[in-house]
Amino acid sequence: MLSKQEIIDLLQVRGADQKALFEESRSARAKCFDAQVVVRGVIEVTNVCRVNCHYCPMRRDNNSSNTRFLLTEEDLIAAAKCVIEQGLKVVFFQGGEAPQTTRLVGEAIPKIHALSPLQPVEILLNLGNKSRDEYGYLKTQGAESYILKHETSDPLLHKRLRQTDLQERIRCLLNLLELQFKVGTGTIIGLPGQTLESIADDIVLADELGVSMASASPFIPARNTPLDSCASGSVETTLNAIAIMRIANPRWLIPSVSALEKLQEGGQRRGLEAGANVLTVNFTPDSKRDDYEIYGKDRFIVSLDYVRELLKHTGLKSAELFSPGHAAEQQLDHLRADADAPATQSISIF
Ligand code: SAH
Ligand code: SF4
């Protein structure tokens, strides 16, 4: 692991030094992943939230809005079916911190697994702080991984901006790890009041927790929040944080987030060039997308076609994406192979 001072220095490099940093991080990525990128399909479950984060438009104080939604179990299963039909292997449920999501998502998970019995899909959740029992229930139902960003590791800033304790967030992360989830965490870069030192602490904390996924996203000032007139986070510092995370932990899954594209055209491509290896395509039902105002109304929505273009331009690959229907074909191949194998039991497939 790099020292804290080394991280602080690297966060600030620009020009030729930044280019060298990105080259090193791409080479670290290539050693572990070759050119493969993971593509997730995200479904935004609800914009209802009991927390009041200063940076987020879905905060509790905005709950009176009549654009609040909670998808139904049927919506979740239908959207997950679209993800699977496109050959993607990660169904990602994200949403506000609402207690209802535990049972709602928990009951949908086995039905989603049943849609793809031969090509198991990974169910990834990002539904906020929950009790250990709730996490345990979601795991038993078939969730494999959980993202819970610590957002900032500065306890005072965390308390001020999220109005909940950092220790509580960390307790949740430790519960998830103990329950054998594949865990992701992450940081928002450029929060008002944040220092480079505290960003370095964010990276060190993620490393110490022993997670397998991490992210760095730039802060986007959003309308109807107490931070709406603050400056955006720096794209360059965010890219450097991605590269540092990759070098420190070559095996991590690190997304190139849509917030980069919102702040700078080509920002998401630059995230891949800085060493990220995950892209997330939006599968939220069209009628609800505009109400999930995570980065404001005009957020950048990632489509499958856009991801295909992005991969083409960066020379990266996704095993799943270049032939839609691929997963379904593989299921069939698998069944045929079984049928051709010396039969120990008869298999009826057609
Ligand atoms: N409610 C859950 C998960 C959904 S929100 C939670 O908070 O854990 C998903 C992520 O959106 C949050 O983790 C936060 O990092 C990010 N986010 C919200 N508002 C943001 C903003 N204005 N700028 C950058 N990231 C933001
Ligand atoms: Fe709620 Fe998550 Fe937004 Fe905070 S970031 S207000 S927990 S949805």
Side-chain angles (χ1 to χ4, degrees):
M1 184 58 187
L2 299 158
S3 74
K4 191 169 159 188
Q5 191 54 52
E6 281 170 321
I7 297 176
I8 293 171
D9 293 343
L10 286 172
L11 284 169
Q12 299 172 80
V13 296
R14 302 289 185 267
D17 288 346
Q18 190 185 42
K19 203 164 161 242
L21 173 68
F22 293 175
E23 267 161 25
E24 192 182 333
S25 79
R26 285 200 299 274
S27 130
R29 179 184 64 196
K31 279 195 195 114
C32 294
F33 295 97
D34 199 6
Q36 287 295 326
V37 162
V38 172
V39 183
R40 299 169 175 155
V42 68
I43 299 152
E44 290 145 343
V45 179
T46 182
N47 60 1
V48 176
C49 190
R50 65 181 174 189
V51 194
N52 216 17
C53 302
H54 280 199
Y55 43 81
C56 179
M58 301 194 293
R59 62 201 302 268
R60 186 180 64 233
D61 279 1
N62 294 349
N63 266 358
S64 57
S65 139
N66 59 6
T67 54
R68 291 286 157 175
F69 73 85
L70 177 71
L71 296 187
T72 63
E73 185 182 311
E74 291 70 41
D75 293 335
L76 298 186
I77 295 168
K81 191 160 178 277
C82 294
V83 175
I84 294 167
E85 279 170 357
Q86 289 301 327
L88 303 190
K89 298 196 181 69
V90 186
V91 175
F92 180 15
F93 289 117
Q94 188 186 65
E97 191 173 299
Q100 307 90 299
T101 60
T102 304
R103 195 148 295 281
L104 173 68
V105 173
E107 287 182 358
I109 293 172
K111 295 171 190 159
I112 294 166
H113 279 308
L115 294 173
S116 185
L118 296 170
Q119 277 285 325
V121 288
E122 175 183 338
I123 305 286
L124 165 66
L125 307 178
N126 179 18
L127 301 169
N129 292 10
K130 292 187 184 289
S131 69
R132 189 187 166 96
D133 284 352
E134 288 177 287
Y135 289 146
Y137 162 74
L138 289 163
K139 184 87 181 13
T140 314
Q141 290 299 97
E144 190 179 328
S145 31
Y146 204 106
I147 292 175
L148 192 73
K149 294 165 65 176
H150 58 269
E151 321 289 2
T152 170
S153 59
D154 174 337
L156 292 177
L157 190 61
H158 192 99
K159 182 79 179 169
R160 185 159 84 235
L161 296 183
R162 300 196 75 248
Q163 290 156 51
T164 59
D165 284 330
L166 174 66
Q167 273 317 314
E168 181 55 31
R169 198 77 162 169
I170 292 179
R171 222 181 346 262
C172 288
L173 280 161
L174 294 175
N175 280 336
L176 288 162
L177 286 160
E178 277 171 24
L179 288 161
Q180 313 278 309
F181 273 96
K182 220 164 74 186
V183 175
T185 193
T187 168
I188 305 181
I189 305 284
L191 287 167
Q194 188 186 45
T195 59
L196 284 175
E197 209 179 41
S198 95
I199 298 175
D201 285 337
D202 289 340
I203 298 174
V204 172
L205 173 64
D207 186 66
E208 286 174 354
L209 282 167
V211 294
S212 45
M213 309 178 273
S215 66
S217 319
F219 163 64
I220 309 255
R223 273 193 298 269
N224 298 325
T225 66
L227 304 181
D228 61 356
S229 57
C230 295
S232 309
S234 154
V235 169
E236 303 307 320
T237 310
T238 307
L239 295 172
N240 291 7
I242 289 174
I244 295 164
M245 286 174 167
R246 168 66 61 215
I247 291 164
N249 292 280
R251 295 198 166 279
W252 272 358
L253 291 183
I254 304 176
S256 180
V257 296
S258 62
L260 283 167
E261 192 69 31
K262 169 150 179 143
L263 289 183
Q264 183 181 95
E265 197 182 336
Q268 222 167 352
R269 177 180 51 73
R270 293 190 69 208
L272 294 173
E273 287 164 0
N277 65 338
V278 179
L279 291 166
T280 305
V281 176
N282 197 297
F283 283 84
T284 306
D286 284 347
S287 61
K288 300 292 186 298
R289 269 184 200 175
D290 287 347
D291 294 333
Y292 196 83
E293 278 194 60
I294 195 156
Y295 306 130
K297 278 249 176 268
D298 48 352
R299 70 187 169 128
F300 183 80
I301 300 269
V302 175
S303 68
L304 272 170
D305 284 345
Y306 166 78
V307 164
R308 284 196 189 93
E309 278 301 301
L310 208 50
L311 294 180
K312 226 185 284 174
H313 284 102
T314 45
L316 293 164
K317 296 190 179 70
S318 144
E320 301 94 15
L321 261 197
F322 277 95
S323 63
H326 176 77
E329 281 161 27
Q330 278 192 352
Q331 287 199 27
L332 216 55
D333 285 351
H334 176 85
L335 286 168
R336 288 197 185 107
D338 272 358
D340 291 345
T344 50
Q345 61 183 78
S346 66
I347 303 170
S348 157
I349 45 172
F350 297 113

